[in-house]
Amino acid sequence: MRLASFFISTLKEAPAEAELISHKLMLRAGLIRRLGSGLYTWMPLGLKVLRKVESVVREEMDASGALELLMPAIQPAELWRETGRWDVFGPQMLRIKDRHQRDFCFGPTHEEVITDIARREIRSYRQLPLTFYQIQTKFRDEIRPRFGVMRAREFVMKDAYSFHAGSDSLEKTYAAMHEAYCRIFSRLGVGFRAVTADTGPMGGSGSHEFHVLADSGEDAIAFCPDSEYAANVEMAEALPPAGPRGAAGSVMRKVETVGKKTCEEVAAFLSLPVEQTIKTLAVVANGEVYLLLLRGDHHLNETKVRKIPFLCDFRLANEEEIRAKTGCLPGYIGPAGLTLPVIADRTVAAMNDFVCGANEENYHLVNANFGRDMKEPDHVFDIRNVIPGDPSPDGGGKLDICRGIEVGHIFQLHTKYSEAMKAVYLDESGQSRPMEMGCYGIGVSRIVAAAVEQNHDAGGIIFPEAMAPFQVVIIPIGLKKNTEVRIEAESIYAALCDAGIDVLLDDRDDRPGVMFADMELIGIPHRIVIGERSLKQGIIEYQGRRDEKAQAIPYPSQDIVGFIKSRIRGA
C-alpha cells in the first residue's frame, strides 16, 4: 500500500475525554474516531487491525470445528421473554419498537437466537455435537461508556455456541475451546492468563475468563507464580488457616476509642496490628439482619456471599436498621452480646484475642475470644478476597495479584436455555431430552485496545506482529527529489509485495521527522529507511519498533526480502 493512496490522520495531542493510554493512542494514531458516547468509527487504519484480529479468531474457530453463521443484530422480544431475560437483563439492553409497535432489542448477546435455531433444526442425537459461531456487532447501553473501545456501547464480538447430547460431550468441546482461545491469544502476541471465573448472569456452572495482563485492567487476578493456578479475585478461594485457633491469652476488656470507627484507626490508636482486629458488617437478606465478620485488613467478596443460599439477595444494612438491631452506630458494632446470626470468614473463625466493636458508641473490646466472651459463629464461610501471600488453593505456593483486561469468556451453560426454550433432541432410545449447551465469547474490538494497553512506549503503539496494520514501512528520505532513492524504494517495495509481505510505502512529500513520528505512533513493527547518503555508502537502515537503534544493512548485496522475513518470523 502506498500512503499517498491510503488515509491516515494522526494527532499530536489526544482529545480531553481520553483517559486510558489505549484510548489516547488509538485516537492520536487515527485508528478510531468518536461519533457519540460509546460509539466509534473504525477508520481505515484501525479497520485493518480489527480485520487481522478477526482473521486469527476465524482461523482458530474454523480449526476447532466450529461453523460460522451470521444472526440478526435485531432480535424479537418474544425469544427473550421465553427465557425470562427480557425483564431482568436490565437497562443495558437497548429496546426498540418497529412500525407495528412490536418489541425488539439490539442484541447484546445471542443465546436466545441460537437456541431458537437449534430447536428448529436439530432433531436427533446423530446431529450432535454442533458448534456455531459468528463475528458481529453487539450493543450494550453502558451507563458510563468510557475508555474508548475498551468499554464502548457498540462493539465487535465473536460469540460461539455449542449443542450436545450429554455433559461429557460439552466438557470435551469446552476443553477444545479453552485450547483454541489460548492459541488465539498466543498468535495475537498478547500476554494473557486464563482464569477461573464466576458465571454471573449467563448462568451455568463452568466458566473461564481470558485476560490480557495490563496495569490498567479493571479486573484483579489472583495467580500463583509457581503453578498454573489463576482465578478472578471474586472466585479465588481463601483457604482457612492451617493451624487450630489459639487459646485465649488475656482477659477481655472494654476500651474507650472515641471517634475511632475503622479497623485501621482502632489498631493505630491501640498500637496493635490491624490483623488483630475484626470488622463487623451488618447486612439484610429476606428481611433479617445478619452480621458478617472479616479480619480488619480483609475485604468482603460479595460474589462469594451471594453464593450462600440464605444471603443470595443480601444488601448492606442502613444506619437506621443497624441502630434498631444493635442499639449502636456503625463502626462500633460487634458480635458480643447480640442474638443476631453471625457469619464469620474462615480466617476470623481461627482468631483469638482479637479487637471488635463493643456495641457501644466510642468503645471497642480488646482480647475478645469466641466461646469465652461471645457465642461461636453460627456459620463459617469463605467470604473475603484473597490477598498477596495467601496460600494457593492448588497447593502450589503463594498467591500474587495482578490486573487484567477481560477479552474472552467461556461458559458451560448446560440446559439453562434449552429447557426454557424447549430445545430438545431424541436420544438413542427415542426419549426427548434438552440439549446441553456451551457459550464462548471474545471481545474482538476490545482485544485491539487491550493490546495497545500492553504494548506501547513514549513514541506510541507497538503492535504485536499478527495485528499490526502493516508489517513493514518503507520511509524514503527525499523521494520526490532524488531519483536513485525513488528507484530503490520502489524496487524494495515491489519485492516485499511480491513476497506476500504487508508493506506500506510512505511516499508523502514530508519532513523525515514527521514520517518517523507517524510510523512510531501507529506501531508498525519493522521500518526500512532509504536515503541518498546511506545509498552512497552502500547501505539502508533497518529498525524494529522495539529496537533502541537502527542497524545498517548492506545494499544491494543483502537479500532484503530474506532479511525482513527472518525478522518477521523472529518477532
Side-chain angles (χ1 to χ4, degrees):
M1 178 66 69
R2 299 173 186 274
L3 190 48
S5 304
F6 195 59
F7 178 83
I8 65 169
S9 179
T10 57
L11 303 172
K12 289 186 177 181
E13 299 292 336
E17 81 265 11
E19 299 175 68
L20 285 188
I21 190 66
S22 60
H23 192 189
K24 294 176 181 178
L25 290 177
M26 290 179 74
L27 286 169
R28 285 191 57 214
L31 303 182
I32 57 173
R33 286 293 180 259
R34 183 179 184 272
L35 175 64
S37 178
L39 303 173
Y40 289 87
T41 296
W42 286 84
M43 300 298 284
L45 193 69
L47 188 60
K48 276 184 65 70
V49 178
L50 191 66
R51 292 289 184 253
K52 288 193 174 185
V53 174
E54 288 180 8
S55 178
V56 171
V57 171
R58 183 172 280 112
E59 288 173 10
E60 291 298 339
M61 292 305 296
D62 290 346
S64 75
L67 303 171
E68 187 171 8
L69 47 62
L70 185 61
M71 292 176 275
I74 304 300
Q75 305 177 21
E78 286 77 9
L79 293 180
W80 286 75
R81 289 186 175 119
E82 285 188 56
T83 61
R85 293 208 297 172
W86 182 259
D87 296 320
V88 302
F89 198 87
Q92 276 193 331
M93 180 189 287
L94 181 63
R95 292 169 167 83
I96 53 181
K97 290 182 181 289
D98 68 4
R99 67 177 65 195
H100 304 292
Q101 296 303 299
R102 293 174 298 202
D103 289 323
F104 291 83
C105 69
F106 193 129
T109 184
H110 277 70
E111 284 77 19
E112 281 80 2
V113 177
I114 196 67
T115 306
D116 180 63
I117 292 171
R119 70 180 174 183
R120 293 171 184 268
E121 303 292 335
I122 299 173
R123 295 286 178 265
S124 168
Y125 72 93
R126 293 185 178 90
Q127 296 172 272
L128 299 172
L130 273 173
T131 302
F132 300 105
Y133 81 95
Q134 66 173 349
I135 299 175
Q136 196 219 45
T137 298
K138 299 282 197 287
F139 190 94
R140 296 179 187 175
D141 198 3
E142 295 277 356
I143 189 171
R144 189 187 165 210
R146 60 194 191 279
F147 306 151
V149 297
M150 188 78 76
R151 189 169 289 281
R153 293 194 294 170
E154 184 179 284
F155 54 94
V156 179
M157 181 178 178
K158 187 284 300 179
D159 47 323
Y161 308 89
S162 62
F163 297 88
H164 308 269
S167 57
D168 289 346
S169 174
L170 169 59
E171 289 176 5
K172 288 180 182 178
T173 296
Y174 186 87
M177 283 293 170
H178 190 288
E179 292 178 7
Y181 274 40
C182 289
R183 290 195 300 271
I184 287 168
F185 297 121
S186 295
R187 284 184 59 186
L188 289 173
V190 293
F192 74 98
R193 270 191 176 268
V195 305
T196 304
D198 183 48
T199 57
M202 295 296 292
S205 56
S207 174
H208 283 83
E209 292 173 351
F210 293 79
H211 288 260
V212 170
L213 304 181
D215 292 339
S216 58
E218 292 185 289
D219 295 293
I221 300 168
F223 70 98
C224 179
D226 302 315
S227 74
E228 295 299 313
Y229 179 82
N232 194 301
V233 162
E234 66 185 9
M235 287 293 290
E237 182 184 8
L239 297 178
R245 180 198 297 166
S250 302
V251 175
M252 185 181 73
R253 55 193 175 91
K254 186 167 70 174
V255 177
E256 189 174 24
T257 53
V258 178
K260 306 297 186 291
K261 292 183 177 182
T262 69
C263 289
E264 291 77 11
E265 290 172 339
V266 172
F269 178 75
L270 298 174
S271 299
L272 294 172
V274 70
E275 293 85 354
Q276 201 171 328
T277 66
I278 285 179
K279 68 175 74 171
T280 304
L281 303 176
V283 300
V284 178
N286 301 315
E288 187 172 0
V289 176
Y290 297 82
L291 299 182
L292 306 184
L293 307 185
L294 294 165
R295 200 172 77 181
D297 61 324
H298 289 164
H299 295 285
L300 185 71
N301 186 312
E302 293 193 10
T303 298
K304 293 179 179 180
V305 175
R306 294 191 190 283
K307 292 183 182 297
I308 301 171
F310 54 88
L311 294 179
C312 58
D313 294 318
F314 88 95
R315 62 171 174 81
L316 293 176
N318 59 41
E319 184 173 326
E320 182 179 347
E321 290 166 326
I322 292 172
R323 277 185 177 276
K325 289 294 184 178
T326 69
C328 184
L329 280 172
Y332 299 102
I333 62 173
L338 298 179
T339 59
L340 297 173
V342 173
I343 293 90
D345 179 66
R346 288 171 170 176
T347 303
V348 169
M351 290 175 66
N352 66 305
D353 291 341
F354 51 80
V355 178
C356 64
N359 295 311
E360 182 178 344
E361 188 174 350
N362 293 323
Y363 286 92
H364 281 79
L365 301 177
V366 178
N367 297 325
N369 285 267
F370 293 115
R372 185 192 71 178
D373 307 312
M374 62 196 72
K375 68 175 184 177
E376 293 285 349
D378 297 283
H379 304 278
V380 176
F381 291 106
D382 171 21
I383 59 172
R384 71 172 175 92
N385 288 335
V386 295
I387 60 174
D390 279 341
S392 177
D394 68 351
K398 301 291 186 181
L399 292 178
D400 203 351
I401 308 292
C402 66
R403 307 298 300 182
I405 300 167
E406 183 188 340
V407 291
H409 205 159
I410 59 178
F411 305 84
Q412 294 185 43
L413 297 173
H414 294 290
T415 59
K416 175 180 178 178
Y417 296 92
S418 56
E419 286 184 348
M421 297 184 67
K422 298 180 174 56
V424 298
Y425 69 97
L426 296 179
D427 66 12
E428 295 182 17
S429 61
Q431 296 295 311
S432 179
R433 300 187 183 279
M435 300 176 205
E436 294 276 338
M437 289 178 60
C439 172
Y440 320 92
I442 284 181
V444 177
S445 49
R446 177 178 268 209
I447 288 173
V448 179
V452 176
E453 285 294 325
Q454 193 181 74
N455 300 276
H456 65 270
D457 62 11
I461 301 169
I462 308 175
F463 271 120
E465 189 82 37
M467 66 174 74
F470 298 94
Q471 294 171 296
V472 183
V473 60
I474 300 172
I475 300 180
I477 307 301
L479 178 74
K480 306 293 185 183
K481 300 176 181 178
N482 189 287
T483 302
E484 186 180 6
V485 168
R486 183 174 66 254
I487 291 172
E488 298 304 337
E490 292 284 357
S491 174
I492 294 174
Y493 173 68
L496 292 174
C497 288
D498 290 344
I501 295 170
D502 194 5
V503 57
L504 177 67
L505 174 60
D506 192 345
D507 54 352
R508 295 176 293 175
D509 187 16
D510 217 330
R511 291 179 290 109
V514 172
M515 300 162 78
F516 291 153
D518 280 349
M519 294 307 111
E520 280 201 344
L521 177 60
I522 66 179
I524 298 177
H526 308 281
R527 184 178 80 190
I528 295 172
V529 178
I530 304 170
E532 179 182 7
R533 182 181 302 174
S534 60
L535 287 177
K536 287 181 179 178
Q537 297 173 347
I539 60 172
I540 60 175
E541 287 186 352
Y542 164 82
Q543 186 168 359
R545 180 61 182 82
R546 294 184 184 273
D547 296 344
E548 292 185 6
K549 296 180 179 179
Q551 66 180 97
I553 307 298
Y555 183 81
S557 60
Q558 173 76 45
D559 175 12
I560 298 302
V561 172
F563 174 81
I564 291 297
K565 281 187 173 181
S566 70
R567 298 298 298 179
I568 290 174
R569 283 198 299 269

